[in-house]
Every structure is written in C-alpha cells, then in structure tokens.
Coordinates of all heavy atoms in Angstrom, one line a residue:
T1 N 0.8 -1.2 0.0 CA 0.0 0.0 0.0 C 0.9 1.3 0.0 O 2.0 1.2 0.4 CB -0.9 0.0 1.2 OG1 -0.1 0.1 2.4 CG2 -1.8 -1.2 1.3
D2 N 0.3 2.3 -0.5 CA 0.9 3.6 -0.4 C 1.3 4.0 1.0 O 2.3 4.6 1.3 CB 0.1 4.7 -1.0 CG 0.0 4.6 -2.5 OD1 0.8 3.9 -3.1 OD2 -1.0 5.1 -3.1
E3 N 0.4 3.6 2.0 CA 0.7 3.9 3.4 C 1.9 3.2 3.8 O 2.7 3.8 4.6 CB -0.5 3.4 4.2 CG -1.8 4.3 4.1 CD -2.6 4.0 2.8 OE1 -2.3 3.0 2.2 OE2 -3.5 4.8 2.5
Y4 N 2.1 1.9 3.4 CA 3.3 1.2 3.8 C 4.6 1.8 3.2 O 5.6 2.0 3.8 CB 3.2 -0.2 3.4 CG 4.4 -1.1 3.8 CD1 4.8 -1.2 5.1 CD2 5.2 -1.7 2.8 CE1 5.9 -2.0 5.5 CE2 6.3 -2.5 3.2 CZ 6.6 -2.6 4.6 OH 7.7 -3.4 4.9
K5 N 4.5 2.3 1.9 CA 5.6 2.9 1.2 C 6.0 4.2 2.0 O 7.1 4.5 2.2 CB 5.2 3.2 -0.2 CG 5.0 2.0 -1.1 CD 4.6 2.4 -2.5 CE 4.1 1.3 -3.3 NZ 3.7 1.8 -4.7
N6 N 5.0 5.0 2.3 CA 5.2 6.2 3.0 C 5.8 6.0 4.4 O 6.7 6.7 4.8 CB 3.9 7.1 3.1 CG 3.4 7.6 1.8 OD1 4.2 7.8 0.9 ND2 2.1 7.8 1.7
W7 N 5.3 4.9 5.0 CA 5.9 4.6 6.3 C 7.4 4.2 6.2 O 8.2 4.6 7.0 CB 5.1 3.4 6.9 CG 5.6 3.0 8.3 CD1 5.4 3.5 9.5 CD2 6.6 1.9 8.5 NE1 6.1 2.8 10.5 CE2 6.8 1.8 9.9 CE3 7.2 1.0 7.7 CZ2 7.6 0.9 10.5 CZ3 8.0 0.0 8.2 CH2 8.2 0.0 9.6
L8 N 7.7 3.4 5.2 CA 9.1 3.0 4.9 C 10.0 4.3 4.7 O 11.0 4.4 5.3 CB 9.2 2.1 3.7 CG 8.8 0.6 3.9 CD1 8.9 -0.1 2.6 CD2 9.7 0.0 4.9
H9 N 9.5 5.2 3.9 CA 10.3 6.4 3.6 C 10.5 7.2 4.9 O 11.6 7.7 5.1 CB 9.6 7.3 2.6 CG 9.8 6.8 1.1 ND1 11.1 6.8 0.6 CD2 8.9 6.5 0.2 CE1 11.0 6.4 -0.7 NE2 9.7 6.2 -0.9
K10 N 9.5 7.3 5.7 CA 9.7 8.0 7.0 C 10.7 7.3 7.9 O 11.5 8.0 8.6 CB 8.3 8.1 7.7 CG 7.3 9.1 7.0 CD 6.0 9.1 7.7 CE 5.1 10.1 7.0 NZ 3.7 10.2 7.7
Q11 N 10.6 6.0 7.9 CA 11.6 5.2 8.7 C 13.0 5.5 8.2 O 14.0 5.7 9.0 CB 11.3 3.7 8.7 CG 10.0 3.3 9.3 CD 9.8 3.8 10.7 OE1 10.6 3.6 11.6 NE2 8.7 4.6 10.8
F12 N 13.2 5.5 6.9 CA 14.5 5.7 6.3 C 15.0 7.2 6.6 O 16.1 7.4 6.8 CB 14.5 5.4 4.9 CG 14.2 4.0 4.5 CD1 13.5 3.7 3.3 CD2 14.5 3.0 5.4 CE1 13.2 2.4 3.0 CE2 14.2 1.7 5.1 CZ 13.5 1.4 3.9
D13 N 14.0 8.1 6.6 CA 14.4 9.5 6.9 C 14.9 9.6 8.3 O 15.8 10.3 8.6 CB 13.2 10.4 6.7 CG 12.8 10.6 5.2 OD1 13.6 10.2 4.3 OD2 11.6 11.0 4.9
K14 N 14.2 9.0 9.2 CA 14.6 9.0 10.6 C 16.0 8.4 10.8 O 16.8 8.8 11.6 CB 13.6 8.2 11.5 CG 12.2 8.9 11.7 CD 11.3 8.1 12.5 CE 9.9 8.7 12.6 NZ 9.0 7.8 13.4
G15 N 16.2 7.3 10.0 CA 17.5 6.7 10.1 C 18.6 7.3 9.2 O 19.7 6.8 9.1
E16 N 18.3 8.5 8.7 CA 19.3 9.3 7.9 C 19.7 8.5 6.7 O 20.9 8.5 6.3 CB 20.4 9.8 8.7 CG 20.0 10.7 9.8 CD 21.2 11.2 10.6 OE1 22.3 10.6 10.6 OE2 21.1 12.3 11.2
I17 N 18.8 7.8 6.1 CA 19.1 7.0 4.8 C 18.9 8.0 3.7 O 17.8 8.6 3.5 CB 18.2 5.8 4.6 CG1 18.2 4.9 5.8 CG2 18.5 5.1 3.3 CD1 19.6 4.3 6.1
P18 N 19.9 8.2 2.8 CA 19.8 9.2 1.7 C 18.7 8.9 0.8 O 18.3 7.8 0.6 CB 21.2 9.0 1.0 CG 22.1 8.5 2.0 CD 21.3 7.6 2.9
K19 N 18.2 10.0 0.2 CA 17.1 9.9 -0.7 C 17.5 10.0 -2.2 O 16.8 9.6 -3.1 CB 16.1 11.1 -0.5 CG 15.4 11.1 0.8 CD 14.5 12.3 1.0 CE 13.8 12.3 2.3 NZ 12.9 13.5 2.5
R20 N 18.7 10.4 -2.4 CA 19.2 10.6 -3.8 C 20.6 10.0 -4.0 O 21.4 9.8 -3.0 CB 19.3 12.1 -4.1 CG 17.9 12.7 -4.5 CD 18.1 14.2 -4.9 NE 16.8 14.7 -5.4 CZ 16.5 14.7 -6.7 NH1 17.3 14.3 -7.6 NH2 15.3 15.2 -7.1
A21 N 20.9 9.7 -5.2 CA 22.2 9.3 -5.7 C 22.8 10.4 -6.6 O 22.1 11.1 -7.3 CB 22.1 7.9 -6.5
I22 N 24.1 10.5 -6.5 CA 24.8 11.5 -7.3 C 25.9 10.9 -8.1 O 26.7 10.1 -7.7 CB 25.3 12.7 -6.4 CG1 26.0 13.7 -7.2 CG2 26.2 12.1 -5.3 CD1 26.3 15.0 -6.4
S23 N 26.0 11.3 -9.4 CA 27.0 10.9 -10.3 C 27.9 12.1 -10.7 O 27.4 13.2 -10.6 CB 26.4 10.3 -11.6 OG 25.6 9.1 -11.3
L24 N 29.1 11.8 -11.2 CA 30.0 12.8 -11.6 C 30.7 12.4 -12.9 O 31.1 11.3 -13.0 CB 31.1 13.1 -10.5 CG 32.1 14.2 -10.7 CD1 32.5 14.8 -9.4 CD2 33.3 13.8 -11.5
M25 N 30.8 13.4 -13.8 CA 31.4 13.2 -15.1 C 32.5 14.3 -15.3 O 32.1 15.5 -15.2 CB 30.4 13.2 -16.2 CG 31.1 13.0 -17.6 SD 29.8 13.0 -18.9 CE 29.2 14.7 -18.9
W26 N 33.7 13.9 -15.4 CA 34.8 14.9 -15.7 C 35.2 14.9 -17.1 O 35.2 13.8 -17.8 CB 35.9 14.8 -14.7 CG 37.0 13.8 -15.1 CD1 38.2 14.1 -15.8 CD2 37.1 12.4 -14.8 NE1 38.9 13.0 -16.0 CE2 38.3 11.9 -15.3 CE3 36.3 11.6 -14.1 CZ2 38.7 10.6 -15.2 CZ3 36.7 10.2 -14.0 CH2 37.9 9.8 -14.5
N27 N 35.7 16.0 -17.7 CA 36.2 16.1 -19.0 C 37.7 16.4 -19.0 O 38.1 17.3 -18.2 CB 35.4 17.2 -19.8 CG 34.0 16.9 -20.0 OD1 33.6 15.9 -20.5 ND2 33.1 17.7 -19.4
Q28 N 38.5 15.8 -19.8 CA 39.9 15.9 -19.8 C 40.4 16.0 -21.2 O 40.2 15.2 -22.0 CB 40.5 14.7 -19.1 CG 42.0 14.9 -18.7 CD 42.5 13.9 -17.6 OE1 41.6 13.4 -16.9 NE2 43.8 13.8 -17.5
R29 N 41.2 17.1 -21.5 CA 41.7 17.4 -22.8 C 42.9 16.6 -23.1 O 43.2 16.2 -24.3 CB 41.9 18.9 -23.0 CG 43.1 19.4 -22.1 CD 43.5 20.8 -22.4 NE 44.6 21.2 -21.5 CZ 45.9 20.9 -21.7 NH1 46.3 20.3 -22.8 NH2 46.8 21.3 -20.9
S30 N 43.8 16.4 -22.1 CA 45.0 15.8 -22.3 C 45.2 14.7 -21.2 O 45.1 15.1 -20.0 CB 46.2 16.8 -22.3 OG 47.4 16.2 -22.3
V31 N 45.5 13.5 -21.6 CA 45.5 12.4 -20.6 C 46.9 11.6 -20.7 O 47.1 10.9 -21.6 CB 44.4 11.4 -20.9 CG1 44.3 10.3 -19.8 CG2 43.0 12.1 -21.0
D32 N 47.7 11.8 -19.6 CA 48.9 11.0 -19.5 C 48.4 9.7 -18.9 O 48.2 9.5 -17.7 CB 49.8 11.7 -18.5 CG 51.1 10.9 -18.2 OD1 51.2 9.7 -18.6 OD2 51.9 11.4 -17.4
T33 N 48.2 8.7 -19.8 CA 47.4 7.5 -19.4 C 48.1 6.6 -18.4 O 47.5 6.1 -17.5 CB 47.1 6.7 -20.7 OG1 46.5 7.5 -21.7 CG2 46.2 5.5 -20.4
F34 N 49.5 6.5 -18.5 CA 50.1 5.6 -17.6 C 50.3 6.2 -16.2 O 50.0 5.5 -15.2 CB 51.5 5.2 -18.2 CG 52.1 4.1 -17.4 CD1 51.6 2.8 -17.5 CD2 53.1 4.3 -16.5 CE1 52.2 1.7 -16.8 CE2 53.7 3.3 -15.7 CZ 53.2 2.0 -15.9
L35 N 50.8 7.4 -16.1 CA 51.1 8.0 -14.8 C 50.0 8.8 -14.2 O 49.6 8.8 -13.1 CB 52.4 8.9 -14.8 CG 53.7 8.1 -15.0 CD1 54.9 9.1 -15.0 CD2 53.9 7.1 -13.9
G36 N 49.3 9.7 -15.1 CA 48.4 10.6 -14.6 C 47.0 10.1 -14.4 O 46.3 10.4 -13.5
L37 N 46.5 9.3 -15.4 CA 45.1 8.9 -15.4 C 44.7 8.1 -14.1 O 43.6 8.3 -13.6 CB 44.8 8.0 -16.7 CG 43.3 7.6 -16.8 CD1 42.3 8.8 -16.8 CD2 43.1 6.8 -18.1
P38 N 45.5 7.1 -13.6 CA 45.1 6.5 -12.4 C 44.8 7.5 -11.2 O 43.9 7.2 -10.4 CB 46.3 5.6 -12.1 CG 46.9 5.3 -13.4 CD 46.7 6.6 -14.2
F39 N 45.6 8.6 -11.2 CA 45.4 9.6 -10.2 C 44.1 10.3 -10.5 O 43.3 10.6 -9.5 CB 46.5 10.6 -10.1 CG 47.7 10.1 -9.2 CD1 48.5 9.1 -9.6 CD2 47.9 10.7 -8.0 CE1 49.6 8.7 -8.8 CE2 48.9 10.3 -7.2 CZ 49.8 9.3 -7.6
N40 N 43.8 10.7 -11.7 CA 42.6 11.4 -12.1 C 41.4 10.6 -11.7 O 40.4 11.2 -11.2 CB 42.6 11.7 -13.6 CG 43.8 12.5 -14.1 OD1 44.4 12.3 -15.1 ND2 44.2 13.5 -13.3
I41 N 41.4 9.3 -12.0 CA 40.2 8.5 -11.7 C 40.0 8.5 -10.2 O 38.8 8.7 -9.8 CB 40.4 7.1 -12.2 CG1 40.5 7.0 -13.8 CG2 39.3 6.1 -11.8 CD1 41.0 5.7 -14.3
A42 N 41.0 8.2 -9.4 CA 40.8 8.2 -8.0 C 40.5 9.5 -7.4 O 39.7 9.6 -6.5 CB 42.1 7.6 -7.3
S43 N 41.0 10.6 -8.0 CA 40.8 11.9 -7.4 C 39.3 12.3 -7.6 O 38.7 12.8 -6.7 CB 41.7 13.0 -8.1 OG 41.5 14.3 -7.7
Y44 N 38.8 12.1 -8.8 CA 37.4 12.4 -9.0 C 36.4 11.5 -8.3 O 35.3 11.8 -7.9 CB 37.1 12.5 -10.5 CG 37.5 13.9 -11.1 CD1 38.6 14.0 -11.8 CD2 36.7 15.0 -10.8 CE1 39.0 15.3 -12.3 CE2 37.1 16.3 -11.3 CZ 38.2 16.4 -12.0 OH 38.6 17.6 -12.5

C-alpha cells in the first residue's frame, strides 16, 4: 500500500538514509594515461 511505502520512507528519513544518488562526469583534454590517469580516476 501507499501507506506502507510512505511509512518506509519515514523510517529511512529517521535513520538518515539518503534519498538521492549523485554521479560525476569529468572532461579531460590531455591524458597521461600511464602516470596521470590512475590519479585522475581516484581523485574524481
């Protein structure tokens, strides 16, 4: 039921369960693939 769904959401809100997911896309003009890229991936 919608009531149960709403109840679940309220329980998760009380438990500080996030409501959203976030993604990130970076753009890179020049890529030193061997030395630099592993750092770029981890950094972002």
Side-chain angles (χ1 to χ4, degrees):
T1 63
D2 290 338
E3 288 79 12
Y4 182 60
K5 295 177 191 176
N6 292 333
W7 179 83
L8 282 175
H9 279 299
K10 289 180 181 179
Q11 298 306 305
F12 299 150
D13 292 343
K14 291 179 182 178
E16 298 183 339
I17 305 299
K19 297 179 179 180
R20 282 183 171 265
I22 180 170
S23 299
L24 183 150
M25 179 177 69
W26 86 91
N27 297 300
Q28 191 159 344
R29 65 170 180 86
S30 176
V31 186
D32 176 357
T33 306
F34 190 76
L35 289 180
L37 183 56
F39 274 76
N40 300 139
I41 296 171
S43 181
Y44 278 104

